[in-house]
Amino acid sequence: MLRQYELVERVKHYDPGADEDLLNRAYVFAMKAHGTQTRASGDPYFSHPVEVAGLLSEKRLDASSIVTGLLHDTVEDTDATLEIIQNTFGPEVAALVDGVTKLTQLELQSSRTKQAENFRKLVLAMSQDIRVLVVKLADRLHNMRTLHFISKEEKRRRIALETMEIYVPLTERIGIRDWKDELEDLAFAELNPDARSSIVNRLHYLHEESGDTIGKVVEELRTLLEAHEIEATVLGREKSPFSIWRKMQRQNIGFEQLSDIVAFRVIVDNVEDCYRALGCIHGRYTVTPGRFKDYISLPKPNGYQSLHTGVIGPENTRIEIQIRTREMHDVAELGVAAHWRYKSGGSQEPTREGRQYRWLRDMLDILSNASGPDDFLENTKMEMFADQVFVFTPKGDLHAMPRGSTPVDFAYAVHTDVGNRTVGAKINGRIKPLRTELRNGDQVEIITSKAQTPSPAWEAFIVTGKARSAIRRFVRSKQRDQYFGLGREVLDSTFRQGDYDLTEKALRGVIAKFQVDTVDDLYVAVGEGRITGREVLYAVYPGAKEEQAQEQEQKRQQIVPTQKPKETARHSVPVKGLIKGMAIHYARCCHPLPGDRIVGIVTTGRGVTIHTINCSTLEDFAESPDRWLDVSWDTDAEEPQAFMGRVHAVIANEPGSLGTISSVIGRTGGNIFNLKFTNRGEDFYEMLIDIEVTGVRQLSNIMAALRATPVVNSVDRAFS
């Protein structure tokens, strides 16, 4: 454990102006506050904050961060309060300690929802000051180093998994490479000890067989660069067991097939020398195809810059070489700590570089759109683990996108409003489908319309958390609006059928019974199918249930093919074409169309499904009269809506038949949505054709035109 004077001397060594008195007071305060508390290892608890402070000092962080490391557990685990911290150490330290304290102890949470909620708090806290995250990562690193002292295996695995899923990506994002590698390896040792032991043993055997290969390669590279008058430092580093194992898993290869177990670094004085060194190495050794990457021209989101190349190097060994300047090397090793700068006037607030913190702003965008902690955790984990592609706007602005991104993802990356209004995209000057996968170097132009809204179907192909959360937010908003409208229609119909008055005052009197907060929430619940209209009627008018006992049976008898629509038209709920997947759905078993006699079936949590009155599926709901809803087509719709009609056709097996029926359907205003062959014979083909039409009348016209076509043997409407 670091002694008080050792910690102070270490900080003063890299920051001579650090407040020595502040450091001493924090050390003594934390030691007294934690008193006789002990850790699972049996060590004094105070050893933990001292080790955290030591880790922070290794990254040359400012005095306020070191003090926060010493005090980060005092408010949560001792009698110290935030007010005492502020009065003793000032508002800056108090704000940092508060930021870390608010995260709570993630490792003690067993519920996924609690884990997600705490991760949400983590993002909010570190958006205020990135030092909060650095302190938390140091705290997690020391806890992982002592993980083996925890006796319960289940708890150890939960902490290790959480470290791998959340803290490792965050550490990578801020670029502290050695912390990331150690966190990965410690978690790997807990989650998959057999695999780690196997790789460690193979590495040990490799060392015995090959001797000092690293030293030989380093010396040969150094000699090569000196011959070309390039001053350089050459280093060799073996990759961690986890990174080796992950590569084996991703590429599905064995240990013996790996070509870059050791990475070599060439550190030069300036960018020009980086490319000169690259030329020397490529001129001397055979280049491995597909291994060159230029992160100097296109840095990673965490600010990392370097040239990467793979060659068949000394002793015919495949090696990976990274070439960078000394400043780039500091960024690669220290990450955010290498960017630490202080404003003039003595302020200790770090300035933020736009590129490095853009990912954090993206997370905040996801946070603002997420429906809950689980949604946020899902989307941010997806963001942090994604590989990158680099694409450009028409003006040449660069955007780093996760691999697999589409124009819709790009549109939301530019701005949420642009994403919401997207109707099309040009990639490299050519119109492309919105589901097209973007590639490195693509120039993307988004075509927008004020009349456009996000489509729920986009979720099938987007990959970014920002796009997904924005679309889900829109869908939730539209769903609520539609469930609200449907719920009002259902209640109005139910109350009128029983000749009862529906009033806001009456509904306010029963909302507590249904565990909703407002009358609007009650309408939404009815629209979703969580509450039936009759349940609300009986709650408002308790005597109605007994009065309607005979009427319910009579109504059940009315919902049969002989039912006359005029008898219930005045009580029916109007139905029109709505956004797919919202409050009203159209059954695929019978494909109802305007003009068909229809009935609605209330489905819990999904609203209403519309069936034709003679659909065989309705037999399944014969014993559930409360789920039946009288509905009718909305004949007052301003614009004709598109619906899906299905026909069964038998056509002659001869050249041109398919083209003929396609032409007939097109001339009569229909649009073929899908076509499926159900039977192929020597003379005839049978097929199901899904056609977009405005109603039964148009579908009938199309069927009549098809029957008049010589190649068509028969055509009928299909209900399956």
Side-chain angles (χ1 to χ4, degrees):
M1 184 173 67
L2 273 175
R3 297 181 182 180
Q4 183 175 340
Y5 76 90
E6 292 174 329
L7 179 62
V8 173
E9 285 181 357
R10 182 183 291 184
V11 177
K12 295 284 284 185
H13 178 72
Y14 64 82
D15 185 9
D19 189 337
E20 185 174 344
D21 178 61
L22 183 71
L23 293 167
N24 283 320
R25 284 189 289 117
Y27 193 100
V28 174
F29 183 94
M31 181 170 60
K32 290 182 178 180
H34 287 292
T36 59
Q37 293 176 351
T38 58
R39 290 171 60 81
S41 62
D43 294 332
Y45 191 92
F46 176 60
S47 63
H48 170 65
V50 170
E51 291 299 324
V52 170
L55 287 168
L56 297 171
S57 68
E58 291 175 2
K59 299 305 173 190
R60 304 166 68 89
L61 264 71
D62 62 308
S64 295
S65 300
I66 307 299
V67 170
T68 302
L70 290 168
L71 303 176
H72 75 277
D73 278 338
T74 54
V75 173
E76 186 176 356
D77 295 335
T78 74
D79 295 332
T81 64
L82 198 61
E83 184 178 4
I84 293 174
I85 297 294
Q86 180 163 336
N87 292 336
T88 308
F89 301 100
E92 183 185 11
V93 170
L96 291 171
V97 172
D98 185 42
V100 178
T101 302
K102 281 181 178 177
L103 306 181
T104 73
Q105 293 183 337
L106 281 150
E107 61 269 20
L108 297 183
Q109 305 295 347
S110 58
S111 165
R112 174 181 168 83
T113 300
K114 289 182 179 179
Q115 180 199 66
E117 174 63 20
N118 280 292
F119 184 51
R120 186 186 68 84
K121 292 178 182 178
L122 170 64
V123 173
L124 282 175
M126 69 190 185
S127 69
Q128 302 299 318
D129 195 322
I130 199 69
R131 289 176 292 180
V132 169
L133 174 59
V134 181
V135 173
K136 187 64 185 176
L137 293 175
D139 170 59
R140 174 52 63 113
L141 178 56
H142 184 253
N143 283 335
M144 286 299 295
R145 287 177 176 178
T146 57
L147 183 67
H148 59 281
F149 288 112
I150 296 177
S151 57
K152 293 183 179 179
E153 180 182 359
E154 181 182 352
K155 184 177 180 180
R156 292 198 310 270
R157 290 186 62 83
R158 187 173 69 244
I159 294 172
L161 183 62
E162 184 180 73
T163 298
M164 194 70 83
E165 289 187 344
I166 295 177
Y167 288 100
V168 166
L170 286 172
T171 312
E172 183 173 21
R173 279 290 186 173
I174 64 172
I176 305 182
R177 182 198 56 78
D178 57 337
W179 284 11
K180 180 196 80 94
D181 288 347
E182 187 174 356
L183 283 171
E184 275 182 339
D185 199 44
L186 291 168
F188 184 41
E190 179 62 42
L191 296 173
N192 201 336
D194 292 339
R196 184 182 182 278
S197 296
S198 174
I199 291 173
V200 169
N201 291 335
R202 293 185 183 189
L203 288 173
H204 180 69
Y205 175 78
L206 190 64
H207 295 159
E208 292 181 344
E209 288 291 309
S210 59
D212 187 21
T213 302
I214 295 178
K216 294 176 183 177
V217 175
V218 166
E219 185 59 34
E220 186 164 332
L221 289 174
R222 186 184 295 119
T223 302
L224 173 65
L225 295 171
E226 286 178 355
H228 288 80
E229 298 182 349
I230 299 175
E231 292 187 11
T233 301
V234 183
L235 306 171
R237 179 183 67 86
E238 188 172 81
K239 292 192 174 182
S240 68
F242 177 77
S243 64
I244 293 173
W245 178 82
R246 180 172 54 189
K247 188 162 189 176
M248 291 167 58
Q249 296 299 308
R250 285 179 176 177
Q251 299 184 6
N252 194 26
I253 58 177
F255 183 86
E256 294 75 13
Q257 297 171 276
L258 291 173
S259 60
D260 53 358
I261 293 174
V262 178
F264 294 90
R265 298 198 178 97
V266 175
I267 304 170
V268 296
D269 293 330
N270 52 58
V271 174
E272 181 183 350
D273 284 346
C274 288
Y275 290 98
R276 287 181 58 209
L278 177 69
C280 294
I281 293 170
H282 281 187
R284 171 66 176 82
Y285 303 111
T286 302
V287 178
T288 305
R291 297 298 303 277
F292 175 69
K293 294 178 182 177
D294 188 345
Y295 292 119
I296 293 180
S297 296
L298 295 173
K300 290 185 178 182
N302 61 10
Y304 176 88
Q305 290 182 286
S306 187
L307 297 176
H308 288 199
T309 188
V311 299
I312 300 177
E315 301 187 5
N316 203 33
T317 303
R318 290 175 178 259
I319 59 174
E320 176 186 304
I321 301 175
Q322 301 164 2
I323 308 170
R324 59 180 71 143
T325 65
R326 301 186 191 283
E327 182 181 355
M328 294 173 190
H329 183 66
D330 286 341
V331 173
E333 296 299 302
L334 301 177
V336 66
H339 288 278
W340 222 253
R341 300 289 184 268
Y342 303 116
K343 292 182 178 179
S344 58
S347 172
Q348 296 268 317
E349 182 183 350
T351 61
R352 302 179 182 187
E353 300 185 8
R355 175 183 293 167
Q356 186 170 1
Y357 293 97
R358 179 175 175 179
W359 63 275
L360 183 52
R361 292 196 298 272
D362 287 344
M363 281 198 194
L364 292 174
D365 285 339
I366 295 171
L367 177 60
S368 67
N369 290 326
S371 61
D374 284 334
D375 190 22
F376 176 66
L377 182 62
E378 173 194 346
N379 290 325
T380 47
K381 282 166 64 176
M382 179 170 55
E383 286 282 317
M384 290 189 297
F385 278 112
D387 292 327
Q388 300 285 308
V389 294
F390 297 92
V391 295
F392 298 89
T393 67
K395 294 182 179 180
D397 296 332
L398 177 68
H399 284 264
M401 303 292 299
R403 190 169 300 280
S405 291
T406 65
V408 175
D409 295 296
F410 177 80
Y412 279 103
V414 173
H415 197 279
T416 301
D417 288 342
V418 175
N420 289 340
R421 300 198 307 269
T422 297
V423 293
K426 289 183 179 180
I427 301 177
N428 302 323
R430 301 182 64 181
I431 295 286
K432 293 286 187 179
L434 289 178
R435 65 186 311 120
T436 304
E437 185 174 325
L438 299 179
R439 301 184 181 278
N440 270 319
D442 281 347
Q443 185 182 68
V444 185
E445 179 183 351
I446 300 299
I447 304 169
T448 61
S449 169
K450 292 183 179 179
Q452 174 69 353
T453 57
S455 168
W458 290 351
E459 275 207 71
F461 56 78
I462 58 172
V463 300
T464 59
K466 183 177 180 181
R468 193 175 304 279
S469 59
I471 293 168
R472 287 180 179 177
R473 183 184 187 184
F474 168 81
V475 171
R476 287 195 302 271
S477 172
K478 284 297 182 183
Q479 278 181 328
R480 181 175 174 85
D481 291 345
Q482 292 187 10
Y483 284 139
F484 174 82
L486 179 61
R488 291 196 66 158
E489 295 281 1
V490 170
L491 286 183
D492 183 63
S493 174
T494 302
F495 275 64
R496 281 191 288 116
Q497 285 180 25
D499 292 326
Y500 292 99
D501 293 330
L502 174 64
T503 65
E504 295 282 320
K505 182 178 179 180
L507 294 180
R508 281 197 294 271
V510 299
I511 58 176
K513 178 178 180 180
F514 295 105
Q515 298 180 340
V516 293
D517 297 327
T518 66
V519 172
D520 286 359
D521 292 338
L522 181 61
Y523 284 135
V524 171
V526 173
E528 288 180 335
R530 292 187 285 116
I531 302 171
T532 67
R534 288 186 180 183
E535 287 175 333
V536 178
L537 174 64
Y538 297 155
V540 176
Y541 298 103
K545 187 171 185 179
E546 183 176 346
E547 293 175 8
Q548 290 189 343
Q550 294 181 348
E551 294 180 14
Q552 288 178 1
E553 182 62 28
Q554 182 180 355
K555 184 172 179 62
R556 182 184 304 174
Q557 296 299 323
Q558 289 176 342
I559 306 177
V560 294
T562 58
Q563 177 186 12
K564 297 180 180 180
K566 293 182 180 180
E567 295 177 359
T568 57
R570 65 189 182 92
H571 301 310
S572 64
V573 176
V575 173
K576 58 184 177 181
L578 298 174
I579 298 176
K580 182 181 178 182
M582 294 295 187
I584 292 181
H585 309 261
Y586 300 97
R588 294 184 178 182
C589 51
C590 54
H591 300 280
L593 297 173
D596 287 328
R597 296 163 62 190
I598 54 175
V599 66
I601 298 296
V602 178
T603 308
T604 304
R606 284 178 51 83
V608 174
T609 303
I610 307 300
H611 296 262
T612 59
I613 199 68
N614 57 352
C615 178
S616 59
T617 305
L618 295 178
E619 297 177 4
D620 298 336
F621 305 100
E623 303 301 321
S624 306
D626 285 352
R627 298 175 64 181
W628 292 66
L629 182 67
D630 290 324
V631 294
S632 61
W633 295 108
D634 183 7
T635 57
D636 299 325
E638 296 180 1
E639 296 181 1
Q641 301 284 332
F643 295 85
M644 197 67 63
R646 175 171 288 185
V647 298
H648 174 265
V650 179
I651 67 171
N653 181 8
E654 59 184 57
S657 293
L658 192 58
T660 300
I661 66 170
S662 298
S663 298
V664 170
I665 292 172
R667 285 198 302 269
T668 49
N671 179 46
I672 297 177
F673 183 81
N674 191 29
L675 186 149
K676 179 182 179 181
F677 288 96
T678 58
N679 188 26
R680 291 181 173 89
E682 283 189 24
D683 299 321
F684 295 98
Y685 279 2
E686 295 184 40
M687 65 182 69
L688 292 174
I689 311 173
D690 291 337
I691 309 172
E692 287 185 348
V693 293
T694 56
V696 168
R697 178 175 296 180
Q698 185 183 7
L699 185 64
S700 297
N701 291 338
I702 292 173
M703 292 167 63
L706 288 172
R707 290 190 182 107
T709 305
V711 298
V712 177
N713 180 268
S714 66
V715 60
D716 300 286
R717 189 170 172 189
F719 293 99
S720 62

